[in-house]
């Protein structure tokens, strides 16, 4: 008699235990992925397989067999249970099933260095490394808690990763067996786990009986022609890689504590396990992410005003300066991710299937990043257009600083009242005050500046001088801006006590002033009138630079 193949033994085992299946066969596709095909047409509503629950490897079963492992997660206990059953070979009830499981499961956890290049610079790379390191600690701890009859050498790290990957790649939620079960628990479900996933597949999983003696049936939701692959639908969760994960970094921010506090008070959270990790999908940019970024890019004036804020709606828009900076920062975050992804050179042909899948994953990530970058660029475009329109209409918030928390009604109205109809191309330069823009209209001053300063290295000081000069012109186009911030400053100067740091800054400014202005006054007495270029004017320009500027290009946002 011919010896039974492992597959035959497995199918007989299912039948012997009350399982039924018809019109299906098990194959491997060209990539080596196990698949199930129909041998005859399966009709809509036809039950083509029933599998009894008693074939399942549940957490409960594993915990009962390994009662000393209470401190380990279900997945870890089940992994060890699976490995012990495998170790028992034919003596284990589950051996026919275990024997047909893929011998190698190419999850990223078992990728070698070359494979890892295929996920280099992706979220999957970092989560894989982190998960693997954490798993190794679990593994070492587990070795200390093995049942007495098991030798440590019987369970290798490679075995452990295999067992763990069996669960991560093919387990189902325990609620398939008991829908009343609360909490999360997994189950290995022979045969049920043979079907591959295809989104939108119409298939019904129908449960019969109780969790001990019942079974699960597959009912086709649509006719499947003979010879076609039969798919399952694992549900939307299976698309867990269909997003780019982003975690903005606050750790370098000197104001980190205040900012994290604002986020907490305003209840800004991604609603994920880590509240600072956000998922971007093709068609979804999380609103909370932008709120968080607005806090992240706040300057000290903005944090000061928002320090006590508890209304998350006020983070939908902080102010124009903040919004420009937020958008630039978001763009560079996503662009650098995209650049990092694209910079890895990988071969595309004659590669094993798991590398092909990794390339598909990369392509999906690039696609999501491309789409997101485009959307953020659109946000930038309409923001600039809105600023342009406001400037044209000479509109400016009633109260400096021009933050929505100080002018809530004004900024609320802006959103709905402005209609962006203009198709003209408006650049950022036209809606902010750059030194270049000031100097283009002031040849005398421009000549002095270019004679004495390096535009790149001394951009800050040039900007301060331009501010003072521009403020001396009664008909400056920034008149309303200057007047409102000056009024706000004189109010706050009288009320706010100077801190040590503020006193130090002032001393530094004074030193800079003394080293420069008297000499300029001497050289260009008509331009550097000391009544205009007073030390107080210098302090004022410094305040504007600190509170209303953006970087790259350095500019003042006068709205
Ligand atoms: C429940 S098992 C499905 C059966 C499995 N292909 C086998 O060989 O035994 C789930 C695993 O199969 C693979 N898989 C599922 N759906 C797939 C698909 N549409 N294309 C390629 N692989 C798929 C993935 O590796 C997934 O983790």
């Amino acid at each position: 008699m011919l010896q039974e193949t492992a597959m035959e033994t497995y199918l007989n085992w299912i039948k012997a235990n009350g399982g039924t299946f018809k019109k299906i066969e098990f194959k491997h596709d060209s990539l080596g992925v196990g698949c199930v095909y129909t041998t005859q047409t399966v009709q809509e509503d036809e039950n083509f397989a029933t599998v009894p629950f008693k074939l399942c490897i549940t957490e409960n079963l594993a915990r009962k067999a390994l009662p000393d492992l209470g401190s380990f997660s279900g997945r870890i206990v089940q992994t060890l249970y699976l490995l012990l059953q495998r170790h028992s070979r034919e003596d284990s009830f589950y051996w026919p099933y275990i024997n047909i499981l893929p011998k190698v499961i190419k999850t990223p956890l078992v990728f070698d260095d070359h494979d890892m290049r295929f996920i280099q610079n992706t979220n999957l790379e970092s989560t894989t490394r982190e998960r693997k390191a954490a798993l190794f600690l679990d593994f070492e701890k587990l070795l200390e808690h093995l049942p007495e009859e098991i030798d440590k050498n019987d369970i290798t790290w490679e075995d452990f990763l295999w067992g763990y990957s069996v669960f991560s790649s093919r387990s189902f939620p325990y609620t398939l067996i008991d829908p009343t079960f609360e909490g999360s628990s997994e189950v290995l479900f022979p045969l049920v786990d043979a079907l591959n996933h295809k989104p939108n597949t119409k298939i019904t999983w129908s449960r019969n009986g109780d969790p001990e003696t019942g079974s699960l049936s597959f009912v086709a939701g649509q006719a499947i022609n003979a010879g076609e692959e039969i798919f399952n639908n694992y549900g939307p969760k299976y698309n867990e890689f269909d997003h780019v994960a982003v975690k903005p970094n606050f750790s370098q921010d000197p104001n980190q504590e205040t900012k994290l506090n604002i986020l907490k008070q305003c209840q800004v959270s991604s609603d994920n396990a880590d509240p600072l990790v956000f998922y971007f999908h093709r068609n979804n940019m999380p609103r909370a992410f932008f709120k968080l970024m607005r806090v992240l890019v706040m300057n000290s004036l903005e944090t000061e005003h928002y320090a006590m804020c508890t209304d998350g709606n006020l983070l939908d828009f902080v102010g124009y300066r903040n919004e420009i900076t937020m958008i630039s920062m978001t763009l560079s975050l996503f662009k650098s991710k995209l650049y990092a992804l694209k910079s890895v050179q990988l071969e595309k042909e004659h590669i094993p299937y798991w590398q092909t899948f990794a390339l598909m994953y990369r392509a999906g990530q690039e696609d999501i990043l491309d789409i997101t970058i485009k959307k953020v660029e659109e946000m930038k475009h309409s923001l600039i257009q809105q600023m342009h329109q406001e400037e044209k209409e000479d509109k400016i918030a009633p109260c400096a600083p021009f933050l929505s928390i100080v002018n809530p009604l004004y900024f609320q109205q802006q959103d709905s009242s402005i209609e962006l109809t203009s198709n003209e191309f408006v650049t950022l330069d036209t809606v902010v005050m750059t030194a270049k823009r000031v100097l283009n209209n002031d040849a005398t001053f421009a000549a002095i500046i270019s004679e004495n300063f390096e535009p790149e290295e001394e951009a800050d000081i040039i900007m301060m001088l331009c501010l003072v000069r521009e403020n001396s012109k009664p008909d400056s186009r920034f008149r309303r801006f200057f007047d409102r911030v000056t009024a706000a400053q004189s109010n706050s100067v009288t009320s706010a006590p100077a801190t040590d740091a503020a006193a130090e800054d002032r001393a530094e400014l004074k030193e800079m002033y003394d080293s420069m202005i008297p000499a300029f006054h001497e050289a260009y007495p008509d331009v550097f009138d000391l009544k205009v270029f007073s030390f107080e004017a210098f302090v004022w320009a410094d305040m504007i630079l600190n509170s209303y500027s953006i970087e790259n290009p350095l500019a003042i946002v006068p709205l």
Side-chain angles (χ1 to χ4, degrees):
M1 202 179 98
L2 277 178
Q3 262 222 302
E4 262 184 350
T5 62
M7 181 53 83
E8 284 160 354
T9 309
Y10 164 62
L11 296 176
N12 287 336
W13 173 73
I14 294 174
K15 281 190 217 153
N17 283 291
T20 58
F21 47 90
K22 54 185 183 192
K23 300 185 178 177
I24 56 177
E25 62 178 343
F26 301 82
K27 290 187 186 170
H28 285 93
D29 70 6
S30 56
L31 291 176
V33 177
C35 310
V36 181
Y37 288 87
T38 55
T39 52
Q40 297 169 41
T41 299
V42 172
Q43 304 300 338
E44 187 179 334
D45 292 334
E46 186 173 347
N47 173 346
F48 62 89
T50 296
V51 189
F53 293 150
K54 71 169 174 199
L55 300 186
C56 294
I57 298 181
T58 62
E59 179 177 344
N60 199 13
L61 184 78
R63 286 208 185 270
K64 269 196 186 141
L66 298 164
D68 296 340
L69 300 185
S71 64
F72 291 88
S73 71
R75 169 84 65 91
I76 300 290
V77 180
Q78 277 170 288
T79 297
L80 180 61
Y81 183 75
L82 179 69
L83 293 175
L84 296 178
Q85 294 296 311
R86 187 172 74 151
H87 190 63
S88 304
R89 298 185 63 91
E90 280 85 354
D91 290 341
S92 164
F93 170 69
Y94 301 100
W95 175 248
Y97 168 63
I98 295 171
N99 196 28
I100 59 91
L101 286 175
K103 303 286 177 275
V104 176
I105 300 181
K106 275 289 180 182
T107 62
L109 286 176
V110 298
F111 276 12
D112 62 20
D113 287 349
H114 183 62
D115 296 330
M116 284 304 280
R117 278 183 44 75
F118 282 78
I119 55 168
Q120 196 178 331
N121 297 341
T122 67
N123 296 136
L124 187 55
E125 180 190 22
S126 45
T127 51
T128 299
R129 291 190 196 283
E130 283 162 21
R131 168 108 29 111
K132 205 164 168 177
L135 272 180
F136 192 71
L137 296 179
D138 269 337
F139 170 67
E140 286 190 314
K141 214 166 97 192
L142 195 61
L143 289 184
E144 305 302 320
H145 291 80
L146 289 181
E148 265 175 27
E149 66 278 14
I150 300 299
D151 191 290
K152 271 188 182 177
N153 297 322
D154 288 339
I155 309 282
T156 64
W157 169 233
E158 285 70 31
D159 293 335
F160 181 77
L161 284 182
W162 174 83
Y164 187 88
S165 299
V166 167
F167 281 90
S168 68
S169 69
R170 58 198 309 131
S171 68
F172 288 89
Y174 178 71
T175 45
L176 266 190
I177 294 181
D178 180 1
T180 64
F181 181 82
E182 285 178 6
S184 66
S185 187
E186 297 173 308
V187 52
L188 283 185
F189 216 136
L191 197 67
V192 173
D193 69 358
L195 302 180
N196 288 315
H197 167 76
K198 189 172 172 184
N200 307 321
T201 299
K202 288 189 192 142
I203 188 161
T204 313
W205 305 354
S206 131
R207 233 174 25 84
N208 323 289
D210 61 50
E212 273 75 42
T213 59
S215 62
L216 187 79
S217 294
F218 273 127
V219 180
Q222 68 213 65
I224 308 161
N225 292 330
E228 281 184 1
E229 180 170 356
I230 293 198
F231 288 101
N232 194 352
N233 185 353
Y234 307 166
K237 244 198 127 183
Y238 186 63
N239 298 330
E240 65 174 306
F241 294 126
D242 208 15
H243 62 243
V244 170
V246 191
K247 181 172 182 173
N249 181 4
F250 280 79
S251 65
Q252 304 298 318
D253 197 312
N255 250 333
Q256 175 183 171
E257 210 176 307
T258 317
K259 290 183 177 180
L260 291 175
N261 231 344
I262 297 174
L263 293 176
K264 205 161 138 201
Q265 285 167 187
C266 293
Q267 297 181 358
V268 176
S269 155
S270 65
D271 289 330
N272 295 318
D274 181 338
L276 297 183
V277 172
F278 292 84
Y279 295 144
F280 282 73
H281 294 82
R282 275 184 182 71
N283 45 17
N284 176 36
M285 304 200 294
R287 183 166 158 223
F289 169 83
F290 294 101
K291 293 189 185 200
L292 177 134
M293 289 299 285
R294 289 185 187 105
V295 176
L296 179 64
V297 304
M298 279 181 177
N299 64 18
S300 50
L301 176 85
E302 290 157 2
T303 35
E304 203 179 292
H305 279 83
Y306 273 84
M308 297 296 168
C309 176
T310 52
D311 178 2
N313 293 324
L314 287 167
L315 292 172
D316 280 331
F317 183 82
V318 168
Y320 284 116
R321 185 218 77 84
N322 178 277
E323 196 71 3
I324 296 174
T325 311
M326 185 282 281
I327 289 178
S328 308
M329 182 92 131
T330 303
L331 278 175
S332 55
L333 187 75
F334 283 106
K335 284 182 178 174
S336 67
K337 269 185 177 287
L338 185 61
Y339 178 77
L341 261 186
K342 289 193 164 173
S343 67
V344 185
Q345 299 298 321
L346 297 163
E347 55 273 45
K348 304 225 155 42
E349 279 165 30
H350 310 297
I351 53 175
Y353 70 85
W354 59 91
Q355 292 178 1
T356 306
F357 287 151
L359 288 181
M360 285 159 64
Y361 165 67
R362 288 187 91 82
Q365 296 282 290
E366 277 187 22
D367 198 30
I368 295 170
L369 287 170
D370 272 330
I371 291 171
T372 307
I373 289 169
K374 264 200 201 96
K375 284 191 202 158
V376 179
E377 263 162 0
E378 273 164 28
M379 280 168 71
K380 181 175 174 180
H381 179 69
S382 64
L383 177 77
I384 292 174
Q385 245 193 305
Q386 181 164 337
M387 290 171 70
H388 180 62
Q389 204 138 335
E390 303 224 315
E391 214 203 0
K392 262 198 323 208
E393 292 168 17
D394 206 10
K395 275 171 131 180
I396 186 166
C399 235
F402 308 116
L403 305 178
S404 74
I405 197 168
V406 181
N407 301 274
L409 289 175
Y410 176 80
F411 283 107
Q412 255 167 33
Q413 280 164 10
Q414 289 312 301
D415 273 355
S416 51
S417 68
I418 289 215
E419 251 181 60
L420 301 174
T421 47
S422 147
N423 280 328
E424 66 186 297
F425 189 71
V426 195
T427 63
L428 182 62
D429 280 10
T430 56
V431 294
V432 293
M433 175 188 159
T434 57
K436 204 166 146 204
R437 200 170 161 194
V438 170
L439 295 175
N440 277 348
N441 288 320
D442 191 337
T444 319
F445 200 59
I448 299 176
I449 294 292
S450 81
E451 221 166 277
N452 292 282
F453 295 96
E454 290 295 332
E456 304 274 317
E457 285 93 71
E458 294 167 300
D460 279 17
I461 184 75
I462 295 174
M463 180 60 92
M464 281 172 68
L465 295 174
C466 285
L467 278 163
V468 176
R469 170 79 170 175
E470 188 70 17
N471 191 28
S472 71
K473 298 177 186 165
D475 57 351
S476 163
R477 62 184 306 164
F478 303 111
R479 187 75 272 140
R480 287 159 67 83
F481 166 72
F482 291 150
D483 290 349
R484 289 212 181 143
V485 291
T486 307
Q489 184 201 25
S490 47
N491 288 341
S492 74
V493 161
T494 45
S495 59
T499 60
D500 284 356
E504 219 171 90
D505 287 350
R506 208 179 153 89
E508 244 174 60
L509 265 182
K510 183 78 171 96
E511 205 175 299
M512 186 161 86
Y513 179 86
D514 288 343
S515 70
M516 190 165 55
I517 300 299
F520 277 108
H521 171 66
E522 207 158 292
Y524 316 100
D526 294 344
V527 174
F528 282 85
D529 176 347
L530 289 182
K531 275 199 227 85
V532 171
F533 284 86
S534 65
F535 177 59
E536 282 318 315
F538 227 62
V539 173
W540 171 87
D542 182 58
M543 176 277 293
I544 301 225
L545 200 59
N546 289 334
S547 308
Y548 297 92
S549 69
I550 57 169
E551 283 168 39
N552 300 319
L554 176 66
I556 305 297
V557 182
L559 285 167

